[in-house]
Each structure stands twice: as structure tokens, then as C-alpha cells.
Amino acid sequence: MDAVLFDRDGTLVVDVPYNGDPAAVTPMPGAREAVARLRRAGVRVGVVSNQSGIGRGILTHDDVGAVNARVDELVGPLEVWEYCPHEPRAACDCRKPLPGLVLRACRRLGVEPRHTVVVGDIGTDVEAAAAAGCAAILIPTPITRRDEVAGAPVVASDLDEAVDIVLAARLAPLSAGGLT
């Protein structure tokens, strides 16, 4: 296991819809410790996030950058940030569940997708991981649908358990979509 790519909203930080205010960033419980544990173990860490507020005209790239910088201060540092600025109907290849963000983050980190885990809170995070050839861990939140939980290859109760799974998997082979 060489890298973990986290979803931002609902996974590393409390989801505030279309957040452009760094002061509104609140880390999820255990987020800073989870990132630190991975870094101590030599696992590269980054973020892959849909930010459709840009495409909808609600946010600017500067707004997203300021929020991401605040996340880095509170949780990080994170080595790579990739986000999709497009609205859901846009014809892009980066919006999760498509693999573009994940593949770009892997290239920037210099890691193979098959040695990477995507950790997120909804089905599109899991689908993006599978489409890119990565493993996936779902951490359900109140917005996670039951069918997404049922369809996830690996489910963790929180970030601490997700990191436990990742670190244990460093000793075991990976399969696309989940950890084996």
C-alpha cells in the first residue's frame, strides 16, 4: 500500500455544502491522527474531491483553494490535492465516479493505482476507486445510502478503523475495488 486518497467533504472534514469559507472547516473526529499515522508508516496521502460549486458559479477556484489550505492546516499536510470543478452534467473525465481525479493524483504521487486506496463516504468515491483500479474503503455517514454501504467492498466505522485496515493491507495483496 503506497498511498491513500481521501475524499474531502464528509470524510476528512464535516460536509458544509459548497463551502468557500475556511473558518467553516471542521475536521472529522480523528482526521489529523489518521493522516499522521499514515505518514508515519510511509504511506503517501492526498485528496480527491468533487467541487461542483465552481461549475455552478457558487464558488471560485480561490475559494476552494482557501478551504483546502485550511484543511491542510487542521488535518495535513496532504501531499496532493485534485478536485473536479465541473457541474454534474459536464462532459468531463474527472468527476467522481469517473477515475480522472484518482488517476491524476496517483500520477502526481508517483504511485500505481493498484497500490492505492480511496477512502470516502459515498458510493461515487468507491466507484471512482474501482474505475481507476484502486482499492476502496467506505466510511458511512448519515448521507450514505444503504445500497452504497451494501455495495462497498470494505466498510469502516471511522477514520481510525480505515487506517487500521490500510496498514494491515500493506502486508496483504490488493484487488481492484477492495482490500484482500
Side-chain angles (χ1 to χ4, degrees):
M1 199 55 58
D2 296 329
V4 172
L5 300 174
F6 292 99
D7 171 59
R8 188 186 84 179
D9 302 318
T11 304
L12 281 181
V13 298
V14 173
D15 187 8
V16 175
Y18 307 114
N19 185 19
D21 180 5
V25 174
T26 302
M28 293 295 279
R32 184 167 191 74
E33 296 81 6
V35 170
R37 282 180 62 205
L38 291 167
R39 291 175 64 81
R40 280 194 305 273
V43 178
R44 315 278 308 268
V45 290
V47 173
V48 290
S49 180
N50 287 343
Q51 293 298 317
S52 69
I54 296 171
R56 296 171 195 262
I58 299 168
L59 300 170
T60 67
H61 287 278
D62 287 342
D63 293 334
V64 171
V67 168
N68 291 349
R70 183 63 177 152
V71 175
D72 255 340
E73 289 173 17
L74 296 173
V75 173
L78 297 146
E79 296 176 66
V80 66
W81 285 87
E82 286 290 340
Y83 64 88
C84 173
H86 306 107
E87 63 178 320
R89 293 183 304 255
C92 68
D93 69 349
C94 55
R95 184 171 177 78
K96 294 181 289 183
L98 297 174
L101 291 178
V102 175
L103 293 173
R104 283 199 319 244
C106 288
R107 276 194 298 276
R108 287 183 58 203
L109 288 172
V111 299
E112 292 291 326
R114 64 190 173 92
H115 295 157
T116 303
V117 177
V118 176
V119 177
D121 65 319
I122 59 174
T124 56
D125 300 316
V126 172
E127 293 171 35
C134 298
I137 299 173
L138 181 74
I139 303 173
T141 67
I143 68 162
T144 312
R145 297 187 328 255
R146 277 184 265 197
D147 64 308
E148 293 173 328
V149 176
V154 178
V155 177
S157 60
D158 57 23
L159 285 165
D160 189 50
E161 183 180 6
V163 170
D164 288 345
I165 294 166
V166 169
L167 296 179
R170 292 191 88 190
L171 305 174
L174 294 173
S175 66
L179 304 172
T180 56

